[in-house]
Every structure is written in structure tokens, then in C-alpha cells.
Amino acid sequence: MRLYSGLLLLAIAFVASCSRPGVSAKSNEAESLVTVGTTTVKTQPMAQQLTLSSELVPFQEIDIYAKEPGYVKQLFVDYGSHVRKGQLLAVLEVPELEAQLRQDEAAIQAQSDEVSRAGHEVERVKAQHNVAHLQYERLASVAKTKPGLVAQQEVDDVQGKDLAAESQLDVAQGAYQASQSQLVMAKAKLSHDQALYDYSKITAPFDGVVTQRFANLGALMQAGTTSTQATPLVRLSDENLYRLVIPVPESYVKFIRIGDPVKVQVPSMDRTLQGKVARFSVDVNGATRTMHTEVDVPNVKHQLLPGVYAEAVLTLNQRGSVMAIPLQAINHEGDKVSVYVVGSDDRVENRPITLGIQTPNYAEVTGGLREGEQVIVSDRSALKAGEQVKPKPVQSMGYETSTTEK
């Protein structure tokens, strides 16, 4: 029995001594594999972003001139005055037009009297004509019913008086109509001069804020329609809506659409607003190779200021769900791109791929990969195709930057 136990212990010791080298070799082999960071190919929404810098300008900004020359009699606004459409800004003193209006009113009164006189003359001549016409009709009737009772010469004389009275009536009616026309012309001249005089009251054409004032009380304002040296009264800017004019590079023109949302960042005011693409020129400038594009930015709380710089972040080429990989997984060899894929046997495969759109962090894969495959995102400089590795899933690095054009 003791002999049997001894032999059993020797056998166990022999087996153990024979098996240890194999286990150690496998352990060393596993420990010698290179550990690589991997990430899974997955689908996700993607979109390109383009950041362009520009200057915020009012949607409308005009210099307000006088329509007729005159002296500034009253001035109701100054720098920073907020005005509403139709609000009175200033009143000019125009002595010549005031005198002309009084003259026009006098001319209308005189012409009205002439119309009244001509009307009375028509009535007088009409009454004379009626008498002459009745006399002629009576004599003509008697001469017809009782021939020889009335001499024909007498009938002819009465008929001549009737025709002369009718002619005088036509003349009187013509004079009356002419006087009425003259009255209409006098009233039209008064309306014209009154319209010119109304321009002495300068009003705001839209809601806005006065950003410049060029005239003082008593200053002579030249008519902006006739003098190239005319000075405006004020400069008025729309404060409810701003426009951001951005030059979109030629390579991005095809992605611009009316109504696209735009994030507008104003660094100097520490504000971020939402705008939209409102209009673009539909052509590319030959000198700059850019397209004039405008973003409308509402200024609801009136906190924006004209002239400040802003950055417009445009979201372009949005894709709902595409297969994507991190940029750090991509190998570039000339015009060819590839990735290192870790297969089911943990061996490295250098796989050519084709790419679609790119963002600062990811690239769309349009061919060469399948969803769920593992690609290497860690250092690949020492790796070779066919090499066995030890994959370790890692979170890919991201960057907060975006494509920026100044």
C-alpha cells in the first residue's frame, strides 16, 4: 500500500513537471500581444458645419433728407432716439411755400367768384333766349295757321333774335365751363404746393433708432433731390431686425438653402441667437469665389448693436443615419484611404474604404465596412496586416472645433 502511494505521488509530480512549460508559454504569448484601442462601426446622424465671420448690420438703414429746402424750425430727435413709423422728426420753416399757399388760396377764392359770376350770366342769357324763342314760336304758329296775318319779315326778324340769343347762351355756358376749369386748376395748384409744404414736416419711414444726427436748430437744409451737397437730417436704422452678410465659399454653395437654420454667435456680447438663411445672390463672385448670403437675425429685446462682429454657424449637408467612424481611425496613403479592422480572430486587416461627408470628429463611410466591425483608433505605426492583437474598446476622442472661414 505504501509502495502504491509513492508511485502515485511520483506520477503526479511527473505530469505536473511536464505540463508547466506549456502553460507558461501560452501565458507569455498572450502577454506579448499588442493591445490596440478599437471602436465599433455604427450608424448615426451627421452634418457638416461651416463657421463664417461677418458684421451685423441693420436690415434697413437710410439717411433722411429734406424734400424741400428750409430752415430747421423744430427738432424732436437726437442720438439714440427710438421712433415709430410716421413719427415727426423735425419741422422746417419754408417762407416761400407759406407765401405760395396764401397766394393759391386767394387765387381759388377769386376763381370761385368768377365761376359764380359766369353762372349768373348763363342764367341771364338763358332767360333772354327763352323769351326770344317763345316769341318766334308764337309768330311762326300764327303764320302757319293763318297765312297773311303776320308778315314774313316780322317772323324772320324774331327768328334771328332767337338764334342770336341761343348763340349768346352757348358763349355764356362756354365761359362758365372755362371758369370752372380754371377753378379746378387753382385747386390742383394749391394741392401741389400743399404737398410740397407738407414735406417741411419730416417723418420716420419705418420703426427704428436714430444713430446719427447731422443738423441743428436753425440749420439750412438743402433739398436732397436737387443738390449733391445736401446734408441729411438724421440716419435711421432698423432695430427690430438685423442682417448678417456672409461670403459662402464656392465649395459650399451647393448646400445653401433658403430657410436653413443658422446659429449666430456674438462673442463681444456673449450671446447666441438663432437666425435663418433669408436670401442669397445665386451667383459666385469672380474675384473672391464666394456667394453673397444673408442671414436674418431678429433683435427682439433690442440688445444687439449695429457694427458688432458675429459668427454664423451653418449646418450643411445633413444626413439622417449613416455609417461613420472616428477620423483618428483613418489611414491616408496618397489618394487612398483605409482602416485597420480587427477580425473575429483578433488579426489585423488593412481594409480600403470610401468616404462621404466629414465633420471635425467623424467621417461617413460609403463602402468597405459593415456596421458592427471593430476598427483600430490607437497608434498604428508599428502594426502590420495579419498581426494578432489584443483589442480593447475605447471611446474615440472628439474635438469641439468646426470648419471656419474668416
Side-chain angles (χ1 to χ4, degrees):
M1 186 67 179
R2 290 179 180 176
L3 179 61
Y4 177 76
S5 299
L7 292 174
L8 181 59
L9 291 172
L10 289 173
I12 292 173
F14 176 77
V15 171
S17 64
C18 293
S19 61
R20 281 194 189 97
V23 172
S24 178
K26 290 181 179 179
S27 176
N28 291 337
E29 183 179 354
E31 291 177 358
S32 66
L33 295 179
V34 177
T35 300
V36 294
T38 62
T39 188
T40 304
V41 179
K42 57 185 179 181
T43 57
Q44 62 184 41
M46 288 187 65
Q48 290 178 302
Q49 285 190 333
L50 176 66
T51 301
L52 298 167
S53 296
S54 187
E55 179 182 355
L56 276 174
V57 296
F59 188 78
Q60 300 181 91
E61 186 174 46
I62 62 170
D63 289 338
I64 299 179
Y65 291 85
K67 178 70 165 57
E68 290 294 316
Y71 297 95
V72 179
K73 182 179 180 180
Q74 293 175 294
L75 184 60
F76 301 104
V77 293
D78 209 327
Y79 286 92
S81 296
H82 298 271
V83 299
R84 307 291 293 178
K85 181 179 180 180
Q87 181 176 332
L88 189 61
L89 304 180
V91 176
L92 302 183
E93 184 178 9
V94 190
E96 299 86 348
L97 282 179
E98 293 176 359
Q100 186 64 52
L101 288 177
R102 291 192 295 269
Q103 182 179 346
D104 292 341
E105 291 172 353
I108 289 176
Q109 184 61 46
Q111 196 60 44
S112 298
D113 295 340
E114 177 62 24
V115 169
S116 179
R117 187 201 64 78
H120 292 314
E121 179 67 15
V122 168
E123 294 299 325
R124 187 186 67 80
V125 175
K126 184 183 292 185
Q128 292 178 349
H129 172 258
N130 289 337
V131 172
H133 187 66
L134 287 173
Q135 289 179 350
Y136 167 69
E137 286 184 340
R138 290 193 189 101
L139 288 176
S141 176
V142 171
K144 184 177 180 181
T145 56
K146 297 179 180 181
L149 183 61
V150 180
Q152 183 63 37
Q153 182 178 358
E154 186 176 356
V155 174
D156 293 340
D157 290 341
V158 173
Q159 183 181 15
K161 292 179 180 179
D162 180 25
L163 293 175
E166 184 177 358
S167 177
Q168 290 177 354
L169 178 60
D170 291 339
V171 172
Q173 287 178 337
Y176 177 70
Q177 293 176 352
S179 64
Q180 283 186 318
S181 299
Q182 291 295 324
L183 178 60
V184 171
M185 292 176 60
K187 289 181 178 180
K189 188 174 186 306
L190 175 63
S191 298
H192 173 268
D193 293 339
Q194 183 65 54
L196 293 179
Y197 183 73
D198 289 341
Y199 282 117
S200 65
K201 298 179 180 180
I202 303 176
T203 58
F206 54 82
D207 296 351
V209 59
V210 175
T211 57
Q212 293 284 339
R213 178 175 62 83
F214 302 100
N216 296 310
L217 288 174
L220 175 61
M221 301 293 298
Q222 296 293 335
T225 57
T226 59
S227 175
T228 58
Q229 302 298 324
T231 301
L233 176 72
V234 294
R235 178 171 297 162
L236 185 64
S237 299
D238 189 344
E239 61 178 343
N240 297 317
L241 185 64
Y242 282 82
R243 66 174 84 201
L244 191 65
V245 181
I246 53 178
V248 176
E250 182 180 1
S251 56
Y252 295 97
V253 165
K254 60 183 178 182
F255 300 122
I256 301 298
R257 299 289 184 274
I258 297 293
D260 284 349
V262 180
K263 183 168 66 174
V264 180
Q265 299 172 337
V266 187
S268 62
M269 307 184 68
D270 194 24
R271 297 199 62 201
T272 300
L273 307 169
Q274 293 298 323
K276 62 180 181 180
V277 175
R279 63 199 67 83
F280 50 84
S281 62
V282 202
D283 71 336
V284 175
N285 186 290
T288 62
R289 308 310 303 171
T290 59
M291 182 177 71
H292 179 99
T293 305
E294 293 186 358
V295 177
D296 283 353
V297 184
N299 188 24
V300 180
K301 297 182 179 180
H302 296 172
Q303 294 180 348
L304 294 177
L305 298 175
V308 299
Y309 279 94
E311 293 182 346
V313 182
L314 290 82
T315 301
L316 311 171
N317 201 12
Q318 298 188 43
R319 304 291 179 84
S321 181
V322 296
M323 198 159 49
I325 58 174
L327 292 181
Q328 58 263 39
I330 301 174
N331 303 318
H332 293 274
E333 299 177 2
D335 295 335
K336 298 180 180 179
V337 291
S338 63
V339 293
Y340 278 163
V341 180
V342 178
S344 57
D345 57 354
D346 292 342
R347 294 191 178 276
V348 176
E349 177 187 354
N350 188 9
R351 182 89 58 83
I353 59 172
T354 54
L355 301 178
I357 66 172
Q358 295 185 26
T359 70
N361 301 325
Y362 290 90
E364 176 191 7
V365 179
T366 58
L369 286 176
R370 295 185 301 273
E371 186 177 358
E373 288 189 304
Q374 297 289 317
V375 294
I376 299 175
V377 294
S378 59
D379 182 28
R380 302 175 294 280
S381 59
L383 295 180
K384 297 179 180 180
E387 180 180 353
Q388 190 172 16
V389 295
K390 182 179 179 181
K392 181 181 179 181
V394 297
Q395 185 176 2
S396 60
M397 296 177 60
Y399 303 91
E400 297 299 327
T401 58
S402 61
T403 305
T404 303
E405 296 283 344
K406 299 292 184 180

